[in-house]
C-alpha cells in the first residue's frame, strides 16, 4: 500500500470509545477493513487525526447496529456507504473540499494513472487536468480509481471493501478510464485496460 499511516499496535485501540464486547465476526470485519477505511478517510480529509475520528465513529455505529448490518444484502457495501457519509459529513461540517488532490499519494499516483490511459506527453505536463477529470467521475468510478491507483489495492480487495463483485470493479475502472480519456481529449484506444489483476 502506498498511503498508509502508522496504526496502533492493538487493533482494538481503534474502537477505544466503544465499551462493548465484540463478536468474533465484527472483530474480523474490523481487522479486515480498518486499514483501508483509515487510508481512504486520510486521503479524502488530508488529516490523520480526523480520519481516525471518522473511522472510529463509523465502527462505533457498526458495533451498535451490527445485528441489523449483518442482515443487509452486503454488510461491506453498507459499511462502505456509511464511511463515505461520515467522511462527507466531516468535510461539510468543517467547510472543506476533499483533500485527495493535495495528498502526496495522489501526486505519486498521477503518473501511474496517466500511464494506464496511455496519455500523450502534453497531458503529462500538468496533473491539473487529471485531477479535474478524476474529481468529475461518478461516485463509484471515483472510489474505484482512488482505491486502485491512489491507495494501491488490487481489484479483488477493492471489490471486498466496496461490497461489490470483482467484475463491477473492472467495469467501474474501464468506464472511469474512458471518462478520463474523454475529459483529457485522448482517443478511446488510448485507454485499453491492461491493468493486471
Amino acid at each position: 500500500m502506498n498511503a498508509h499511516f502508522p496504526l496502533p499496535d492493538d487493533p482494538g485501540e481503534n474502537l477505544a470509545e466503544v465499551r462493548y464486547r465484540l463478536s468474533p465476526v465484527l472483530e474480523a470485519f474490523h481487522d479486515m477493513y480498518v486499514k483501508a477505511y483509515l487510508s481512504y478517510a486520510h486521503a479524502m480529509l488530508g488529516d490523520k487525526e480526523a480520519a481516525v475520528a471518522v473511522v472510529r465513529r463509523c465502527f462505533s455505529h457498526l458495533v451498535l447496529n451490527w445485528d441489523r448490518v449483518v442482515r443487509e444484502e452486503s454488510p461491506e457495501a453498507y459499511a462502505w456507504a456509511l464511511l463515505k457519509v461520515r467522511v462527507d459529513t466531516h468535510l461539510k461540517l468543517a467547510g472543506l473540499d476533499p483533500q485527495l488532490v493535495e495528498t502526496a499519494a495522489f501526486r505519486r499516483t498521477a503518473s501511474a494513472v496517466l500511464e494506464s490511459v496511455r496519455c500523450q506527453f502534453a497531458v503529462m505536463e500538468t496533473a491539473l487536468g487529471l485531477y479535474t477529470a478524476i474529481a468529475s467521475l461518478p461516485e463509484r468510478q471515483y472510489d474505484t480509481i482512488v482505491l486502485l491507483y491512489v491507495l494501491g489495492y488490487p481489484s479483488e480487495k477493492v471489490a471486498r471493501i466496496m461490497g461489490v463483485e470483482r467484475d463491477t470493479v473492472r467495469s467501474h475502472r474501464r468506464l472511469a478510464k474512458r471518462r478520463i480519456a474523454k475529459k483529457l481529449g485522448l482517443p478511446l484506444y488510448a485507454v485499453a485496460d491492461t491493468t493486471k489483476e
Side-chain angles (χ1 to χ4, degrees):
M1 296 299 129
N2 296 333
H4 289 304
F5 45 86
L7 295 171
D9 291 333
D10 174 17
E13 214 174 296
N14 291 311
L15 297 174
E17 74 261 11
V18 180
R19 305 281 184 233
Y20 302 100
R21 190 167 194 73
L22 300 180
S23 72
V25 174
L26 178 55
E27 192 169 335
F29 186 92
H30 173 271
D31 292 347
M32 184 174 291
Y33 297 114
V34 70
K35 287 183 182 181
Y37 287 13
L38 286 167
S39 295
Y40 180 84
H42 186 239
M44 294 298 113
L45 301 174
D47 179 338
K48 176 184 166 183
E49 288 77 24
V52 169
V54 164
V55 172
R56 280 185 177 158
R57 285 192 299 274
C58 183
F59 275 101
S60 294
H61 174 91
L62 292 173
V63 167
L64 294 172
N65 296 283
W66 189 246
D67 289 341
R68 185 174 56 108
V69 172
V70 295
R71 289 192 302 267
E72 292 285 330
E73 183 177 328
S74 171
E76 292 84 357
Y78 176 93
W80 181 250
L82 175 66
L83 173 68
K84 291 187 55 63
V85 166
R86 298 283 175 157
V87 166
D88 288 345
T89 300
H90 182 88
L91 288 169
K92 285 178 185 164
L93 291 175
L96 299 171
D97 292 322
Q99 299 298 303
L100 179 61
V101 297
E102 301 298 326
T103 65
F106 192 85
R107 288 190 300 273
R108 285 192 309 268
T109 305
S111 62
V113 175
L114 287 170
E115 177 61 29
S116 77
V117 295
R118 298 181 187 163
C119 292
Q120 302 158 346
F121 183 77
V123 176
M124 288 189 214
E125 289 179 350
T126 177
L128 185 57
L130 177 64
Y131 298 153
T132 303
I134 291 174
S136 69
L137 290 172
E139 183 178 359
R140 292 293 185 139
Q141 292 172 23
Y142 177 86
D143 290 347
T144 300
I145 293 299
V146 169
L147 289 166
L148 286 169
Y149 296 107
V150 177
L151 300 179
Y153 290 108
S155 294
E156 187 174 317
K157 177 79 172 181
V158 172
R160 287 195 313 266
I161 291 167
M162 293 176 65
V164 298
E165 297 295 322
R166 193 168 165 186
D167 287 343
T168 302
V169 170
R170 280 191 209 114
S171 175
H172 288 321
R173 180 183 64 218
R174 186 181 70 254
L175 292 171
K177 286 181 175 183
R178 286 184 180 174
R179 283 179 184 262
I180 290 169
K182 184 175 181 181
K183 187 90 171 175
L184 296 176
L186 300 172
L188 288 181
Y189 67 79
V191 296
D193 201 352
T194 58
T195 306
K196 294 180 181 176
E197 294 296 318

